[in-house]
Amino acid sequence: MSYANFIARLVTERRGLVWFGVVLIAAASLFILVTRMTLDSEVLNLLPGKFESVQGLKVYNNDFAQTRELTFALVCQPNDVDRLEEFAPIFAERLRAQPWTTRVLGGSPMETPEGIRDLQSIAVPLLLNLEPPAFAETVSILQPANLQTRLHRLHEEIDAGSPRPEFELQLDPLGVIAPALKPFAGNAALQQGEPLASPDGTLRIFLVVTNQATLDAFACQALMEKVNSFRKTAGAGWDGGPLQVLVTGRSAYVAEISLSMRHDIVVTLLGSILLVSAVFFVGFRRWLPLLGMGFSLLLCCLVALAVGLLIFHELNMVTIGMCAILIGLGVDFAILIFGRYQQARNEGTAHAPAIAEAISKLGRAIFFGALTTSVGFLALLLGGAAGFTQLGVLIAIGILVAGFLMTSVFFLFTRERSLPPRHDWILALVRQYVRRMLRAPALILWIALPILLSLFAIAISPRPPIIFDASTKSMEPKKSDAGFALNAIMTKMPTRWEPVIGIVRAPNEEQLHSDWQRVEAHWRDLQTAGAIKDFSTPAALALSPKLMEENRARLRTIDFAAARQALETAILQEGFSRATFATGFALLEQLQAVGRGTQLIPDWRKQLPVSSSWWFLVDRYFAQDPLLTVGFATSNQPVVTHEQKEKLREILPVAGVPMTLSGWSFTLTDLLPWSHHQLILISALMAFFDASLLAVLYRDLRLWLIQVATLILAVGAMIATMKLGHIPLNLLNVLAFRLVLAIGVDYGIYVLLVWQKAREVEHDVAGVLKPVALAGLTAIAGFGSLGFANNPTLSGLGIACAIGLAWSLFATIFFTLPAAAAVKPNSVQGTT
């Protein structure tokens, strides 16, 4: 018994057994989804993980505390700048009072008593970390004569009206803290390199570290609910004009992306279902098969998601587009098989034989159509991006399952008593077209071919150029409050652009110190030579145990008793208050205890309070593992080209120091060659696979040439449309080309396989052309519905694929068929 007859008997005579199998599969799939469903909202998983810059970005995002940092911005009108200055401290205090904040930075820590006190608390280890000559020069200040000379000089400067000595005495009563902190303060650059206010004063920035335990989507959503509630009342007491309270940061983006996932699931899935259902019903005017199609497609999605979870354990956010794509593609099989079934029923064939005939006539075409589409999506594995790997595997599984279900389970929803409509206006139009096409194929070619060739000429012409968007904006949700806030900050503060980050991991503290000393010296030379704009490194806090022990030994040579007595005498002679020097006396005691060995060298990490603003600087450079660090080099211009990136990759590393260069702009620029490789090489491999498969299928050189020409013209028309419509390519929607090659070839396969075996050309070709046209429309609708997604990756991919499939369908109907008729293959000679 043939497969077609076996399935026909099974779905007509063993319906209960089939339903039992369906329920069992659905129950198993639902169980897996309920018990194992985990969603990955990491946008970096959409990028190829083999690149060092991508790996570095993942390390930076996952291991550094800055990922828990939110950036608030207050934006006012130009005439309210003075009011904003007055309101800024109030806003900062309100931020500090929030239960979800750990610390807040609203200005330089040097401007607050707490910041100065915190800085003094870490002075000893930083002092001991100085190079021997610098250390010797610094501690020489503790000699009695030098202490007296310094206090006398400060007294004279105060009498002269200078404000600087007052600040110097407050920060550094002994004169040894400033030299110790000089490297540290030099790297801070909180006001110079990264100002917290715009040049025109209309924008003020506040950095906040939150206390959220994790960075998963639900934790970020919960945090942003509290943040947005605070934003509504944060402006209370403001008496100026309109005041905007903006916020951006990783948590803000993750919350928006994860929430938009629900929007995208609903919009794309419902949009795809409605569009596909409308096309199906208009084409066949039957509710029960429409329900069967929907049920089969839902089962495809469930099985694909369940198998995907078993394989990958968690699914990336981009896979939410899988269901809409599956609906748009899987329905093709239902339309094809039901169209052939309905044609057989319309000609008087009984229910079961009509099922067998439909499977017999189109089963082979559906199998190869599912195969080419699956291979096209499996080709996403070659890109090396985890998110798209999952998408490719899930859709490949779903398409193969759809091909099987549409030639089996789908027929459970057909009835023997249900006859086709007497008048099928779509089929009548298709037959009329086929009849005229067979009589005058050259006329249709003279109309269609100039259109396709003109578009192909535009596609290969350098004018107009195709737009390639490699900016971070192309990865950002369409409607993003966090993106709007970031753009407002960058617009108001154009000097703030993303630096290149250099990640260094060392095996021990001594090696870390040595590595950053060498990097800092090299980057300083680059800055002096004008190769980079500026830089900052953790060199001042990458302490050397060896240096500290050597300098600790030198402390034993200092007469602290004499230093203390000289300080007491100088204070009395110059008329200073002893209370001003309380921290100085405490520092002398601490240095003496460390030198004698009665006190360990203090750990600067434990000296800084958790709420200290200086942690913003520390966390900027150090990960949770203190041996994992990062430095920042700002280029002279934002990194937007591959050449800029390559130049930085050439000059920034230091020989012998293992450094990973990364950063968002740097990484996206790094991926440009990969994207072009995806566009050209892998699309070429897909085209080679299609050409080889077509050669095996047709075994006719003329039909093979026609089909290959169809693919070339369709892709050319797709590129031309994107050029003329100013639709940009980005790093990810270049994947659309291989998908169009994989899916668009199916239309020609369906038509030409029937053409080759046709006994009555007009009858058989019209019978398949109607479902092919409907199938093409549903695929276009399925991908087109992704255009409504807020996720730009899904949206861009959907729009590009919809354009490509539209031209593939057009080329199949108005080029492939008339070209086949014009060359008159042997299989149809004499049948027209």
Side-chain angles (χ1 to χ4, degrees):
M1 181 184 297
S2 67
Y3 175 77
N5 288 325
F6 171 75
I7 294 295
R9 290 189 60 183
L10 196 64
V11 298
T12 56
E13 300 176 15
R14 296 288 188 272
R15 297 173 61 85
L17 180 62
V18 177
W19 273 115
F20 176 76
V22 168
V23 171
L24 192 63
I25 293 172
S29 300
L30 285 172
F31 175 78
I32 293 172
L33 291 180
V34 171
T35 57
R36 301 199 178 196
M37 175 60 81
T38 304
L39 288 178
D40 172 23
S41 62
E42 178 56 79
V43 70
L44 292 177
N45 286 336
L46 300 180
L47 303 178
K50 64 181 180 180
F51 284 86
E52 184 181 81
S53 56
V54 175
Q55 296 169 5
L57 207 53
K58 288 183 178 180
V59 169
Y60 184 66
N61 278 356
N62 294 330
D63 295 345
F64 285 79
Q66 268 200 318
T67 55
R68 286 174 169 79
E69 187 175 293
L70 292 177
T71 300
F72 284 80
L74 292 182
V75 185
C76 71
Q77 299 300 311
N79 55 347
D80 290 325
V81 171
D82 292 339
R83 291 187 177 91
L84 185 63
E85 287 295 319
E86 296 173 1
F87 184 71
I90 300 173
F91 181 78
E93 286 305 313
R94 289 175 180 172
L95 275 175
R96 292 188 181 95
Q98 299 307 305
W100 39 267
T101 62
T102 299
R103 47 185 172 269
V104 177
L105 179 67
S108 172
M110 295 292 290
E111 298 175 356
T112 64
E114 295 83 4
I116 293 175
R117 183 182 63 246
D118 295 341
L119 202 55
Q120 290 170 338
S121 69
I122 64 173
V124 171
L126 296 184
L127 176 63
L128 293 174
N129 192 56
L130 291 175
E131 293 294 326
F135 180 78
E137 181 182 353
T138 300
V139 296
S140 68
I141 299 175
L142 299 180
Q143 295 176 7
N146 291 339
L147 283 172
Q148 293 174 348
T149 300
R150 177 174 179 270
L151 292 188
H152 181 69
R153 174 180 58 80
L154 291 175
H155 188 194
E156 289 181 341
E157 291 177 358
I158 291 173
D159 289 343
S162 173
R164 188 186 60 82
E166 295 282 357
F167 176 76
E168 185 176 340
L169 284 173
Q170 183 184 10
L171 172 66
D172 188 11
L174 295 181
V176 297
I177 294 180
L181 297 179
K182 185 177 180 181
F184 178 76
N187 266 358
L190 288 173
Q191 292 293 334
Q192 291 79 20
E194 296 187 4
L196 297 176
S198 63
D200 63 1
T202 59
L203 182 143
R204 284 290 303 267
I205 288 177
F206 303 82
L207 304 179
V208 177
V209 172
T210 66
N211 57 11
Q212 63 185 112
T214 66
L215 290 171
D216 63 65
F218 295 110
C220 291
Q221 289 175 22
L223 171 69
M224 292 310 297
E225 285 183 8
K226 300 173 184 176
V227 170
N228 290 327
S229 176
F230 164 76
R231 290 172 62 194
K232 294 177 182 178
T233 60
W238 170 259
D239 59 354
L243 178 70
Q244 287 182 296
V245 181
L246 308 178
V247 63
T248 188
R250 177 186 169 90
S251 295
Y253 272 112
V254 171
E256 287 184 348
I257 291 172
S258 57
L259 286 174
S260 72
M261 287 168 61
R262 292 187 298 189
H263 165 272
D264 291 348
I265 290 173
V266 173
V267 169
T268 60
L269 191 56
L270 288 183
S272 182
I273 290 173
L274 290 175
L275 291 171
V276 165
S277 299
V279 173
F280 187 94
F281 186 77
V282 169
F284 300 110
R285 286 179 284 172
R286 286 291 180 269
W287 287 108
L288 190 59
L290 177 60
L291 180 62
M293 178 193 71
F295 176 81
S296 300
L297 290 173
L298 177 60
L299 188 58
C300 292
C301 294
L302 288 176
V303 171
L305 285 172
V307 175
L309 281 172
L310 292 177
I311 297 173
F312 300 109
H313 306 297
E314 67 176 4
L315 300 180
N316 190 270
M317 62 181 183
V318 76
T319 58
I320 64 174
M322 183 208 67
C323 293
I325 295 174
L326 265 184
I327 288 172
L329 297 177
V331 73
D332 292 4
F333 306 144
I335 289 176
L336 287 165
I337 205 76
F338 186 68
R340 191 66 184 85
Y341 164 82
Q342 193 177 59
Q343 184 181 26
R345 295 283 284 145
N346 205 28
E347 293 168 356
T349 307
H351 177 53
I355 294 175
E357 182 178 342
I359 297 173
S360 175
K361 296 290 186 183
L362 286 176
R364 183 165 174 257
I366 287 175
F367 169 76
F368 282 106
L371 178 63
T372 57
T373 303
S374 298
V375 170
F377 278 96
L378 286 175
L380 295 177
L381 274 68
L382 300 176
F388 281 98
T389 293
Q390 292 180 10
L391 181 68
V393 171
L394 264 64
I395 293 182
I397 293 171
I399 287 296
L400 292 174
V401 173
F404 172 73
L405 293 181
M406 293 307 179
T407 54
S408 56
V409 173
F410 171 71
F411 286 108
L412 292 174
F413 294 84
T414 57
R415 291 288 182 268
E416 187 169 1
R417 292 168 300 190
S418 178
L419 296 176
R422 294 181 179 179
H423 178 67
D424 189 336
W425 63 272
I426 298 179
L427 183 59
L429 287 176
V430 170
R431 281 179 174 170
Q432 186 176 9
Y433 167 75
V434 172
R435 187 179 305 116
R436 293 184 178 180
M437 180 271 299
L438 291 173
R439 291 175 182 172
L443 177 62
I444 297 175
L445 287 174
W446 274 110
I447 297 173
L449 198 54
I451 296 174
L452 293 172
L453 289 175
S454 297
L455 292 172
F456 184 78
I458 294 174
I460 63 176
S461 170
R463 293 286 184 273
I466 192 164
I467 304 171
F468 199 97
D469 185 4
S471 68
T472 55
K473 195 73 176 177
S474 66
M475 304 282 290
E476 196 174 273
K478 295 178 184 176
K479 300 176 181 177
S480 171
D481 290 339
F484 174 80
L486 181 61
N487 184 64
I489 293 172
M490 299 296 284
T491 301
K492 288 278 187 178
M493 307 173 73
T495 58
R496 293 176 66 104
W497 60 74
E498 185 195 16
V500 177
I501 64 175
I503 300 174
V504 174
R505 188 192 296 269
N508 53 63
E509 292 182 350
E510 190 64 43
Q511 187 63 50
L512 187 70
H513 170 81
S514 174
D515 287 347
W516 278 116
Q517 290 298 320
R518 294 171 62 192
V519 171
E520 173 144 319
H522 176 62
W523 285 7
R524 184 176 292 110
D525 291 341
L526 292 178
Q527 184 184 29
T528 303
I532 59 176
K533 181 180 179 182
D534 53 44
F535 70 93
S536 59
T537 74
L541 290 174
L543 307 186
S544 166
K546 180 181 177 182
L547 268 181
M548 295 172 73
E549 285 300 325
E550 290 178 358
N551 290 330
R552 178 179 183 175
R554 292 188 180 94
L555 287 178
R556 300 191 188 102
T557 64
I558 299 175
D559 187 347
F560 285 99
R564 190 179 297 106
Q565 182 60 47
L567 181 61
E568 293 274 12
T569 302
I571 291 173
L572 291 174
Q573 289 177 349
E574 303 299 333
F576 288 116
S577 169
R578 194 179 189 283
T580 303
F581 291 83
T583 56
F585 285 108
L587 180 59
L588 283 175
E589 294 290 341
Q590 189 177 17
L591 288 173
Q592 184 175 11
V594 170
R596 290 177 176 175
T598 58
Q599 179 180 325
L600 296 176
I601 298 175
D603 184 346
W604 63 267
R605 290 177 175 275
K606 296 179 180 178
Q607 298 296 108
L608 280 178
V610 174
S611 60
S612 174
S613 296
W614 290 108
W615 278 110
F616 283 95
L617 180 65
V618 175
D619 288 342
R620 175 180 171 86
Y621 299 112
F622 289 86
Q624 298 172 2
D625 176 3
L627 297 178
L628 177 61
T629 53
V630 64
F632 304 86
T634 304
S635 54
N636 292 316
Q637 296 294 331
V639 181
V640 294
T641 67
H642 182 66
E643 290 72 21
Q644 286 177 296
K645 181 266 302 179
E646 285 299 313
K647 181 64 175 177
L648 291 170
R649 178 166 280 164
E650 176 185 341
I651 65 174
L652 289 179
V654 176
V657 178
M659 177 182 293
T660 300
L661 296 179
S662 189
W664 260 110
S665 298
F666 185 91
T667 299
L668 292 182
T669 308
D670 200 20
L671 295 180
L672 284 175
W674 169 83
S675 184
H676 296 155
H677 175 271
Q678 292 286 302
L679 176 61
I680 298 172
L681 179 60
I682 300 183
S683 295
L685 291 175
M686 191 66 226
F688 177 77
F689 172 82
D690 284 350
S692 302
L693 180 64
L694 293 173
V696 173
L697 281 177
Y698 297 149
R699 299 179 185 178
D700 186 307
L701 179 61
R702 290 168 294 182
L703 292 183
W704 182 84
L705 289 173
I706 290 171
Q707 184 71 69
V708 170
T710 301
L711 288 175
I712 294 173
L713 292 173
V715 171
M718 171 188 175
I719 296 173
T721 303
M722 296 184 73
K723 281 185 171 185
L724 297 174
H726 302 288
I727 300 171
L729 280 175
N730 57 43
L731 291 168
L732 300 175
N733 69 5
V734 295
L735 303 173
F737 289 93
R738 76 180 68 163
L739 299 182
V740 169
L741 288 171
I743 302 167
V745 71
D746 294 348
Y747 305 143
I749 290 176
Y750 299 145
V751 171
L752 292 183
L753 283 182
V754 170
W755 178 278
Q756 278 188 308
K757 296 184 177 182
R759 296 178 181 177
E760 299 178 24
V761 175
E762 181 181 324
H763 170 273
D764 292 350
V765 172
V768 74
L769 189 57
K770 172 193 170 181
V772 164
L774 294 175
L777 291 176
T778 56
I780 294 167
F783 276 104
S785 66
L786 296 180
F788 298 106
N790 197 37
N791 184 321
T793 302
L794 284 178
S795 177
L797 183 65
I799 292 173
C801 285
I803 293 171
L805 292 182
W807 282 114
S808 295
L809 182 62
F810 175 88
T812 298
I813 296 174
F814 297 106
F815 174 75
T816 304
L817 268 177
V823 300
K824 291 184 179 290
N826 292 333
S827 58
V828 298
Q829 282 183 5
T831 63
T832 57

